[in-house]
Amino acid sequence: MKKCVMAFGAHSDDIEIQCGGTLLKFKSKGYELIYVVVTTNDMGFSHGYKENIEVRRKEAEKGAKFLGAMPLFLNFKKFDIANDKNKIVSFIEDSNIFNKWKKLPGREPISVAFFIPECVIEVANLIAKYEPEIVLTHSPDDIHPDHHSTSVLVYRAFKEASEKMKLGSLYLWGPGSWGFITEFNPDIFIDISNYIDKKNEAISQHASQAVEWIKTYFGERTARWGKKIGVKHAEGFYKVKDILTKDKISYINTLERRFLEYKKRN
């Protein structure tokens, strides 16, 4: 079987933003890339819900193609949607939108998928199918509910698959734009200096998003990680250790701690 790297992003552009350079580097070394979008992306900013899903799926397909990756879509419902005033709220915050949320396309909500054995086993079987040398995904410390939930789902699935077969490593990338990068301490750095321009082109495939802001914000981050290892740009990851014995409960409860930290700062 060809060597493989899998990336699980909650939303269509998360993979390009957080590990696009790393994937391009592995692709250049002959690895197969599997690009998994976990949620439906139905935020509804500039399009209706259904139309927005279609737009972001097409952008993900373009992004995956640019990276040379195979795109897969799990279609879990997002934690939140836009209400009638185009404000992003969760169905828990606004009971009036619950019925609207229930009718949206998609399957189980990502916010509970990691509690559902069938969902965990499905993702575990997907990981086992490709036998990846590396799996990349979000950190559980990310305060974005979709990011956090995706991290826990992938962690549990990776653990499930690891109990049945020998797998490689699980790497976590830092919090997204909702997170505090100063509190993320990666122990793996990948030099992407030769791939930063192509990474930015991959991000640009997501034209419905604020691509110029994204490239600037995360470009500063890759420059910061690069400085740590003496190169221009790097992507940083935390390697999950002792995957078969790590306390699952503490892994999940980091979200509550994260929200408390966020409230203190704001």
Side-chain angles (χ1 to χ4, degrees):
M1 181 178 288
K2 194 173 184 179
K3 293 185 293 185
C4 172
V5 174
M6 295 186 78
F8 288 82
H11 312 115
S12 288
D13 53 354
D14 289 335
I15 291 171
E16 289 88 342
I17 290 170
Q18 297 282 14
C19 64
T22 295
L23 293 184
L24 287 163
K25 189 167 189 173
F26 274 104
K27 185 68 176 180
S28 72
K29 296 180 182 296
Y31 280 72
E32 180 182 12
L33 305 180
I34 309 298
Y35 173 115
V36 186
V37 181
V38 176
T39 76
T40 55
N41 290 283
D42 50 348
M43 289 294 268
F45 280 125
S46 55
H47 307 272
Y49 299 116
K50 181 180 178 182
E51 291 76 14
N52 197 65
I53 291 171
E54 292 172 352
V55 166
R56 299 212 66 190
R57 184 184 179 108
K58 288 178 181 177
E59 290 175 347
E61 290 170 346
K62 288 173 64 177
K65 184 177 180 179
F66 188 90
L67 294 172
M70 177 192 298
L72 299 173
F73 300 87
L74 299 185
N75 295 316
F76 290 103
K77 286 186 181 182
K78 283 177 51 57
F79 181 81
D80 46 18
I81 64 172
N83 64 12
D84 294 336
K85 297 180 180 179
N86 212 33
K87 179 183 177 183
I88 303 304
V89 295
S90 77
F91 59 85
I92 295 173
E93 294 175 284
D94 186 348
S95 59
N96 293 324
I97 66 170
F98 181 72
N99 288 332
K100 179 192 290 186
W101 177 86
K102 276 202 306 183
K103 295 176 183 177
L104 291 177
R107 48 185 301 187
E108 302 92 340
I110 185 58
S111 52
V112 299
F114 56 84
F115 286 122
I116 302 173
E118 291 80 5
C119 295
V120 175
I121 291 170
E122 177 187 344
V123 178
N125 289 340
L126 184 64
I127 293 171
K129 177 180 178 180
Y130 293 100
E131 298 182 34
E133 186 173 311
I134 294 174
V135 172
L136 301 154
T137 195
H138 301 272
S139 165
D141 282 342
D142 198 315
I143 65 171
H144 191 302
D146 294 343
H147 294 175
H148 171 82
S149 299
T150 294
S151 180
V152 179
L153 174 62
V154 173
Y155 167 78
R156 285 187 155 176
F158 191 94
K159 182 178 185 296
E160 178 79 18
S162 295
E163 291 174 344
K164 299 175 182 178
M165 62 188 303
K166 184 174 176 58
L167 291 176
S169 301
L170 176 61
Y171 288 4
L172 310 176
W173 58 64
S177 56
W178 287 24
F180 312 115
I181 191 62
T182 55
E183 295 178 8
F184 176 70
N185 297 305
D187 54 11
I188 301 289
F189 296 93
I190 307 294
D191 179 4
I192 64 162
S193 302
N194 294 334
Y195 300 94
I196 188 66
D197 292 337
K198 285 189 176 181
K199 170 179 176 167
N200 284 333
E201 287 184 59
I203 292 172
S204 293
Q205 306 305 305
H206 299 269
S208 70
Q209 306 304 295
V211 292
E212 294 307 315
W213 177 86
I214 291 169
K215 287 188 284 189
T216 298
Y217 182 90
F218 286 93
E220 292 172 355
R221 181 175 296 187
T222 57
R224 187 179 307 172
W225 294 147
K227 189 175 181 180
K228 282 186 172 290
I229 60 171
V231 301
K232 288 185 176 179
H233 288 275
E235 288 173 337
F237 306 96
Y238 175 77
K239 181 179 179 180
V240 177
K241 302 169 182 66
D242 301 322
I243 190 72
L244 294 179
T245 59
K246 189 174 176 65
D247 181 356
K248 291 185 292 186
I249 301 303
S250 64
Y251 193 93
I252 294 170
N253 287 345
T254 52
L255 182 61
E256 182 178 353
R257 173 176 59 81
R258 212 52 183 190
F259 271 121
L260 291 174
E261 291 170 357
Y262 181 77
K263 287 179 179 179
K264 288 179 182 177
R265 289 169 180 264
N266 294 275

